[in-house]
Each structure stands twice: as structure tokens, then as C-alpha cells.
Amino acid sequence: MKENKKDWILPDLKSAQKRTKNDIPIERLVFDLPDVVRDMGKARKYYLRTYGCQANERDAETIAGILEAMGYTMTTSTDNADFILLNTCAVRKNAEDKVFGEIGNLKHLKLTNPDLILGVCGCMPQEEEVVDTILKTYPHVDLIFGTHNIHRLPQLLYQVSMNKERTIEVFSKEGEVIENLPVSRFGTHKAWVNIMYGCDKFCTYCIVPYTRGKERSRLIEDIISEVEELKGRGFKEITLLGQNVNAYGKDLKEPANFALLLKSVAETKIERIRFTTSHPWDFSDAMIDIIASFENIMPYIHLPVQSGNTDVLKIMGRRYSIDEYKTLFVKLKERISDCAFSTDIIVGFPNETDEQFQQTLDIVDFCQFDNAFTFIYSPREGTPAAQMVDNVPKDVKKKRLAQLNAKVAQYALKNNKAYIGRMVEVLVDGPSKKNPEIYSGYTRTQKLVNFKADGVVSGDLVNVRITDCKTWFLIGEKA
Ligand code: 5AD
Ligand code: SF4
């Protein structure tokens, strides 16, 4: 591979951090590829592996759509791939370590197939440190591009594949909101729908506002036409995606907010609507009213608390006290009937004391979450928290995580037990791999159910009687 270093566009976290008041233009691309590019993937296979959150999963569907428009077909094996792309996550160090491990493992494939192209995209390339490491340590990586460069994939791949040039293009500033990119949906009855990109909350531990840029919303009409199109194709469930959906519309000229958007989506009458993630700050009463009043908005809320202690929340930059969180939680529970809740929690934030951690356990006792995603704090270069001196030893952090997980599991089981004997509606995902008589699917409250049935297919909505449960799933029989 040639290296024209002057053509490289490298990441710059400082400029990624800047926010301007400029309106974000919406660009309606007509996605049209020149013939040479359209044929590039003919008889070639791509392997795409995605790490991290739903935003990455949804990006993967666009990447797949673009590659398929270029003639590539998907393969699930790295052994017969012509193009391997790792779509990465930067939220914690262990997510990054996995990717570096995988890049190392893939090296030998280049020996048997010298034409193989290896690419890294997603959130990791947005970090200067990561690109430096790849350049120094992994010369077999041919292509690096960031979260704001996905629409440029055809040109970038052309450069690598045809011009044999090692290519790096990482824009640090978000560009236009781009509509009409091709998409290859991985699901048949459940789909992700982006409603906004980026995050402006700048929680002090979090890299996302740097890797995904400024908050920018899609227009309501574009979102609704995507939902209508999915509904027309037989999709039963959509999940509206944003790092913080409460902020939807704040950047648009036309008055728009998440409550209005949710109402319009509910009026399409698509069977099931979910949304994620809601920040506890700015969760409006209007949103609660809409969630409570439409049958097709699922009663399940992911409400990240992060810590049970107000001082820690303050240092995290979370903008709410633990009492405010509790007040919101109680209000949601009262107003939305039979609502399930999950949360995200970080333990071992710099200098977290035993007492402060105890309050995190207390909030779990108070809310009795159905599920919680729990993490040990991981310093992220460039974020304010990474500058903080941390006196909490690693083994203390590990102990806290284990203690927290035990408590979370205890409430998950308790909540599941309350389902025994109940009849619930389940959206069928498909038969179990091990036993074709057992199907799995999810309740309205996002609980996994494994149940006995025959003659059902994925995408069916069926009633299931719950007969038993485990900590992380319900067991039942189709009624
Ligand atoms: N360390 C640990 N957990 C983190 N999260 C975000 N940044 C970090 C970090 N630096 C967690 C938060 C967030 C979830 C998606 O990941 O809990 O809600
Ligand atoms: Fe990160 Fe906070 Fe934005 Fe969530 S709201 S993506 S935790 S900065």
C-alpha cells in the first residue's frame, strides 16, 4: 500500500469538543454511484463486525447498505472475506482492548490473501490515541474512517482497493444530517430508527460527545416516512434512537420536541414503539402523558442513573440530584401503568467513597430495576474525569461491581417472579437453536420469554402464559 500522508485526515479531539450555534443543514443525498464504484464489489465479500451501542448497530446497517449498493455480498466468516471492517466502540477501555485484540488476530489472513482489505471505523478512530496506535503497531490496517465519514465509504474504499493507498479520513466535526443513504436492515420485524445524532450533555466521564458530535435532529417528516415504510414492509416494532431523545428537536427551526414526535410516530399505528435513551434531566410531563396514553408505546423506560449520590452526580455533570431522580421515577411509575425500568450505573468513579457507593445500592433498593447495565469507571482520554486523581483501588471497584450486580439480579428475579401466572403479549423473534419447539420473544415490558409453541413465525404477536422464570428470562406456553 502507498502512504500519501498529506491526504490523511486525522482526528482532533479539541475541535470535536467545540459546539457552534450554526443550524445543521439537512442534506437529501441522491445516492448515486459511478459505474466503476458500483461494480467494485462484484464477486467480493464483506465481513462486518459491530461493537457497542445501538447507534453503532444502526450505522452498520447503513454501511452494509452502501457496500451492497457497490456489489459486495455479506459473509459471516473472516476466512473468505475480501473486505473486513470493524465498526468499533470507544465508551470504555475494555471495548477498545477487544478491538485491538481482533485486529491482531486478523493479521494472518493477509498472508493467505494479500488483496484482503482491513478497515476500522466507528467511534475508536475519532480518538487521536487510537489512530496513533494503529499507525505505529498495526501496519496491516488499510482503511480508517470515523462516524462522520460513513457516506464517504465508496470513495474511501476505491482509494484503497483501486489506488492501493492506505486511507485515513476522520472528520472531527459533524457535517450535515444526511438522508437517503442506502440501508440493509438486519432484522425482519424489529428496526432501529435514528431520530437524532450526537450528544451535547458532556457528562464528565463520557467520550460520546467527542466521537459523535453535536446534537442534531432529523426532521419529523423524514422519521415518519421511514416508520411508514417499515410498517408497510411488515415491521412490527421500531426503536427510536438518540443518545438523549429528550433533546429531540431543540436544534430544529420548526417547533418540535420528543413528545410531539412520539405522538406522530404512535399515530402511524405501527404495533410497537420503543425509544432509547432518555436522560433523567429534561424528561417532560408532555412526554409522560404521550407514553401513558398510546397503547403502541411500550411501557419500558431505560433511565440511566449512573450513581446514587448527589455529589458524585454533580462531579459527573449529570444535572440532577438523586432526589430529583427519585421524584421522576415515582411519577413515571404512577402515571404509566405496568411500566418496567432499566438503568445504567457506573461504580468506582474517581474518589467514590464507601458511603457514596452505599447510596448507589440504596437507589437500586428504591427503584427495584428490572435490569441494570453496570460498569466500572473507565478513564477516557480527553474527558474532564480522566484528569481527576483517583484513590479507589482496582480491587475495591471490582468488589463494588460484584455487590451491585448481586443486588440487581435479586430484583430482576423478584420482578420476573411476579409474572408467573400472568398472560403476556410476546413479539416472536424465532425458534430456539437447540429446541425447535421453544420460541423466544419479548414482552411489552422488554422481558425475554422462552415459550412452548407450534406454528408460530418470527414477527407474530402471541399471547403467552408465564409458568416459571429465571433471573434474566421468563418461561411460558403459548395460550
Ligand atoms: N466508564 C464507564 N462507563 C461509562 N459509560 C459511559 N462512559 C463510561 C466510562 N468512561 C456508561 C454509562 C452510559 C453507558 C452507555 O456507558 O453508564 O450510560
Ligand atoms: Fe455520554 Fe452523558 Fe451524552 Fe449519555 S448523556 S452519551 S452518558 S455524555
Side-chain angles (χ1 to χ4, degrees):
M1 287 275 160
K2 287 179 278 184
E3 284 200 351
N4 287 335
K5 293 190 179 160
K6 64 173 185 4
D7 293 339
W8 290 352
I9 301 178
L10 299 168
D12 168 16
L13 279 179
K14 276 246 148 42
S15 73
Q17 185 179 10
K18 291 204 182 100
R19 293 294 184 265
T20 59
K21 290 235 173 314
N22 300 349
D23 285 335
I24 301 286
I26 311 278
E27 182 167 325
R28 288 204 161 61
L29 269 187
V30 177
F31 192 80
D32 193 18
L33 294 171
D35 285 348
V36 275
V37 176
R38 199 176 308 123
D39 292 341
M40 245 178 71
K42 284 245 164 80
R44 288 192 171 139
K45 291 192 169 67
Y46 74 93
Y47 170 91
L48 174 59
R49 172 144 183 215
T50 295
Y51 301 78
C53 69
Q54 295 97 334
N56 262 16
E57 300 267 349
R58 178 60 189 79
D59 282 350
E61 295 182 329
T62 300
I63 291 167
I66 293 175
L67 291 173
E68 285 165 25
M70 293 169 71
Y72 282 90
T73 49
M74 183 191 264
T75 170
T76 52
S77 158
T78 51
D79 292 339
N80 63 4
D82 302 282
F83 176 36
I84 297 178
L85 184 58
L86 306 180
N87 181 23
T88 63
C89 168
V91 82
R92 279 172 294 276
K93 185 169 180 294
N94 55 6
E96 297 196 343
D97 290 345
K98 264 194 239 159
V99 172
F100 282 125
E102 184 68 10
I103 298 176
N105 290 340
L106 292 169
K107 189 173 180 180
H108 73 280
L109 292 173
K110 283 257 183 175
L111 300 174
T112 43
N113 179 6
D115 289 334
L116 171 69
I117 295 170
L118 176 60
V120 177
C121 68
C123 284
M124 279 171 68
Q126 299 293 140
E127 300 174 284
E128 293 148 9
E129 241 192 336
V130 167
V131 175
D132 282 349
T133 306
I134 295 179
L135 288 177
K136 281 198 199 104
T137 323
Y138 302 97
H140 59 290
V141 173
D142 310 293
L143 169 64
I144 301 175
F145 63 96
T147 58
H148 307 308
N149 305 72
I150 293 174
H151 62 291
R152 298 257 311 138
L153 180 55
Q155 290 86 340
L156 301 176
L157 206 45
Y158 186 87
Q159 199 143 305
V160 182
S161 176
M162 300 300 184
N163 297 350
K164 306 280 177 225
E165 254 182 61
R166 196 178 196 198
T167 298
I168 306 175
E169 186 182 281
V170 183
F171 297 158
S172 290
K173 286 225 80 53
E174 64 290 327
E176 302 80 12
V177 169
I178 300 175
E179 294 294 341
N180 300 336
L181 286 175
V183 47
S184 168
R185 302 271 175 191
F186 298 152
T188 52
H189 58 281
K190 298 200 283 199
W192 311 110
V193 175
N194 282 322
I195 63 165
M196 58 192 298
Y197 306 97
C199 181
D200 289 347
K201 291 291 165 293
F202 287 100
C203 300
T204 55
Y205 50 81
C206 186
I207 194 76
V208 170
Y210 308 77
T211 60
R212 294 233 160 224
K214 177 181 158 97
E215 281 174 358
R216 52 235 194 262
S217 304
R218 294 178 67 200
L219 298 178
I220 285 204
E221 63 248 41
D222 290 327
I223 298 166
I224 297 298
S225 61
E226 184 173 340
V227 174
E228 292 283 12
E229 189 247 349
L230 289 164
K231 184 176 170 233
R233 284 167 54 194
F235 280 81
K236 298 284 170 57
E237 178 177 302
I238 52 139
T239 302
L240 305 176
L241 288 183
Q243 298 299 337
N244 170 25
V245 296
N246 308 10
Y248 173 79
K250 287 191 176 160
D251 56 313
L252 293 176
K253 274 206 205 92
E254 303 288 314
N257 58 49
F258 188 59
L260 268 175
L261 172 70
L262 252 188
K263 181 165 182 286
S264 309
V265 175
E267 283 166 354
T268 66
K269 299 214 159 40
I270 189 149
E271 250 104 350
R272 285 183 165 199
I273 299 159
R274 301 187 186 278
F275 54 90
T276 196
T277 297
S278 306
H279 195 292
W281 184 75
D282 225 13
F283 203 122
S284 71
D285 282 348
M287 274 167 62
I288 303 176
D289 287 342
I290 300 289
I291 298 165
S293 57
F294 282 89
E295 253 306 280
N296 57 347
I297 303 178
M298 295 302 102
Y300 163 68
I301 296 177
H302 182 62
L303 197 68
V305 64
Q306 311 297 3
S307 164
N309 174 270
T310 297
D311 293 332
V312 174
L313 289 171
K314 201 169 193 158
I315 309 171
M316 286 178 162
R318 290 292 291 176
R319 308 167 189 227
Y320 52 85
S321 67
I322 201 63
D323 285 339
E324 284 164 337
Y325 184 93
K326 283 179 170 172
T327 306
L328 172 65
F329 181 87
V330 170
K331 187 155 68 169
L332 289 165
K333 207 155 174 94
E334 280 171 5
R335 303 253 292 266
I336 306 168
S337 58
D338 193 25
C339 190
F341 292 89
S342 60
T343 196
D344 290 342
I345 298 172
I346 297 175
V347 302
F349 191 72
N351 308 314
E352 180 190 60
T353 64
D354 281 340
E355 292 72 27
Q356 288 170 332
F357 171 65
Q358 182 56 48
Q359 287 184 280
T360 293
L361 295 176
D362 293 345
I363 192 70
V364 176
D365 281 326
F366 182 88
C367 298
Q368 310 199 0
F369 297 108
D370 293 271
N371 195 1
F373 303 89
T374 56
F375 314 102
I376 290 181
Y377 165 70
S378 168
R380 305 283 66 210
E381 185 79 30
T383 62
Q387 309 284 324
M388 297 174 195
V389 182
D390 184 4
N391 64 9
V392 187
K394 191 122 205 207
D395 61 320
V396 172
K397 296 189 190 223
K398 283 190 179 157
K399 265 192 214 135
R400 287 183 187 165
L401 183 69
Q403 211 182 336
L404 174 63
N405 286 344
K407 197 177 265 301
V408 167
Q410 178 196 325
Y411 288 114
L413 183 61
K414 178 180 172 213
N415 290 333
N416 278 357
K417 280 190 174 156
Y419 275 75
I420 296 176
R422 275 181 62 183
M423 184 85 90
V424 291
E425 181 199 84
V426 174
L427 176 60
V428 181
D429 278 336
S432 132
K433 282 198 186 93
K434 287 185 222 131
N435 180 352
E437 279 175 20
I438 303 290
Y439 288 76
S440 68
Y442 284 84
T443 64
R444 291 168 54 81
T445 50
Q446 187 70 353
K447 290 195 174 284
L448 175 63
V449 190
N450 293 323
F451 61 100
K452 240 200 209 143
D454 59 60
V456 298
V457 290
S458 62
D460 282 354
L461 280 161
V462 296
N463 286 325
V464 172
R465 183 172 299 287
I466 302 303
T467 53
D468 200 358
C469 73
K470 301 276 185 219
T471 303
W472 301 118
F473 61 92
L474 303 173
I475 299 167
E477 277 175 24
K478 181 175 170 282

